[in-house]
Amino acid sequence: MCNVAGMRIEVWADVVCPWAYIGKRRLERAVAALGEPVEVRWRPYRIDPAAPVPAEPLAGALSDPLVEDALRVCAPDLTPAQNRLRVAGIAAREGLGPPWGAAWRASSHDAHRLIALAEPAGVQDAVVEALLRAHFVDAVDISDREVLAGAVGDVFPEGPALLAGPAGEQRVRELLLEGRARGIRTSPTLVAGDRALAGAQPPEVIRDFLAGGDARRPVPAEVERYRWAESLLEQRDPLGALELLGPLLAEHGDDHAVRMLAARAWYASAQLERARIALEELVAGHPTDAYAHVLLGRTLQRLGRHPQAQTHMQLGVALEPTYA
């Protein structure tokens, strides 16, 4: 995969997803056909966040009726066993295997940490390839750190030792939240600028997608983070929104919009005292902000402070009658 100056795309994928490996091969063919340099950055997606550590044999997991029902969503007309045979055939046509097929229901959390840590080292694609091969061809347990060390030792020898500490934890967590905020719902999903292509599409479809370029209007990183936090709040994930807002609150805590978004998230997550303090500061500094008055009134109501709540509710309605 090219990693020189040129077009940049992101691939949001989970290394325990067979379509991610198939999609990687198809992307490589599409890039070769395009004939232009493409910088690929890998981003985390979790198809099975509840996968255990240590892993459990996949055969046993597939016998669970709940797992079977979940897998049927991917191929409603096939049993999980039939679908695995179908995917194996597709993988073979892409030059993957034999052998082919995962043997473990394994958490991919540490694998995603390695992928994130490999980015600044410039070996991300090689690490992704090694992890996909370990899971689907070698059929080993990639939730095991010794297995991970063996899988990526040739391409990222310093990586596995970093897993003993917190390295990569926050980065992966924030990227997962960013992906959710941006509407990533499928592994793999290719993102170029403001455009996205979901699924392991045929190479010609990917090539046409890449030919569209990655141009988009530059947006400051702080603005992007704010938008992602706002998106998470709209998706009813106030705790995720607050996590993304953390750096903005630390650096721009006096910004009205940042403070208001945080207050909304504190209110939505029932952190009512924090919401009250923030909103009282907001209405003191911006006494004509009708929404701040109304939200403060609702917060005070939930805290049982009804006389104070009524005052702010009335002020909010007086400033903006549509809140009545």
Side-chain angles (χ1 to χ4, degrees):
M1 200 77 66
C2 298
N3 277 315
V4 297
M7 180 182 180
R8 171 185 165 182
I9 67 168
E10 296 173 334
V11 182
W12 297 78
D14 197 343
V15 290
V16 297
C17 171
W19 293 107
Y21 209 175
I22 292 167
K24 186 174 187 295
R25 284 292 180 271
R26 291 176 173 179
L27 173 60
E28 289 164 348
R29 288 164 57 193
V31 169
L34 188 67
E36 298 179 9
V38 176
E39 178 185 3
V40 178
R41 299 191 180 185
W42 292 87
R43 300 291 183 247
Y45 184 86
R46 298 288 299 277
I47 63 172
D48 187 6
V53 179
E56 62 180 348
L58 188 58
L62 291 175
S63 67
D64 185 332
L66 294 177
V67 174
E68 181 173 342
D69 290 343
L71 291 173
R72 279 188 179 276
V73 174
C74 301
D77 298 328
L78 300 174
T79 67
Q82 290 170 331
N83 189 47
R84 282 167 63 83
L85 286 173
R86 178 179 72 96
V87 174
I90 295 171
R93 290 193 291 275
E94 296 296 337
L96 301 172
W100 169 267
W104 299 92
R105 183 190 178 207
S107 170
S108 57
H109 178 71
D110 278 348
H112 284 303
R113 289 173 64 196
L114 279 176
I115 293 168
L117 293 167
E119 182 176 359
V123 293
Q124 211 183 32
D125 190 77
V127 167
V128 171
E129 178 70 28
L131 293 170
L132 288 167
R133 179 176 180 82
H135 186 67
F136 288 106
V137 177
D138 299 333
V140 293
D141 173 13
I142 62 168
S143 72
D144 186 306
R145 291 182 180 177
E146 291 187 6
V147 171
L148 288 174
V152 305
D154 291 340
V155 294
F156 190 33
E158 67 274 28
L162 299 174
L163 298 178
E169 287 279 1
Q170 185 65 23
R171 176 64 172 160
V172 170
R173 172 68 181 164
E174 288 200 353
L175 283 171
L176 289 169
L177 290 170
E178 177 190 330
R180 190 185 312 161
R182 294 172 67 176
I184 306 298
R185 298 289 183 268
T186 300
S187 171
T189 296
L190 276 60
V191 176
D194 293 324
R195 301 179 304 115
L197 181 67
Q201 300 293 338
E204 58 271 18
V205 174
I206 299 175
R207 183 198 61 220
D208 291 344
F209 174 77
L210 297 177
D214 62 348
R216 65 172 176 172
R217 186 175 63 182
V219 176
E222 294 86 352
V223 174
E224 280 197 322
R225 181 176 283 269
Y226 178 90
R227 290 176 179 174
W228 297 332
E230 190 173 41
S231 174
L232 289 176
L233 185 57
E234 291 171 355
Q235 295 177 52
R236 300 184 179 182
D237 183 5
L239 295 178
L242 286 167
E243 187 164 344
L244 288 185
L245 277 174
L248 295 183
L249 283 169
E251 297 178 23
H252 309 284
D254 56 347
D255 181 88
H256 181 81
V258 171
R259 197 72 175 164
M260 174 58 77
L261 188 59
R264 290 171 55 199
W266 283 321
Y267 175 82
S269 59
Q271 298 181 65
L272 300 179
E273 277 298 327
R274 299 192 73 173
R276 178 189 65 79
I277 293 169
L279 289 163
E280 287 179 346
E281 292 174 350
L282 285 168
V283 298
H286 300 82
T288 60
D289 187 331
Y291 182 72
H293 279 289
V294 170
L295 188 56
L296 177 55
R298 292 172 180 168
T299 302
L300 291 167
Q301 284 177 340
R302 291 177 66 183
L303 287 168
R305 303 180 187 182
H306 299 289
Q308 294 171 279
Q310 185 67 15
T311 298
H312 287 286
M313 294 295 289
Q314 290 174 343
L315 279 169
V317 171
L319 290 164
E320 179 51 70
T322 58
Y323 287 135

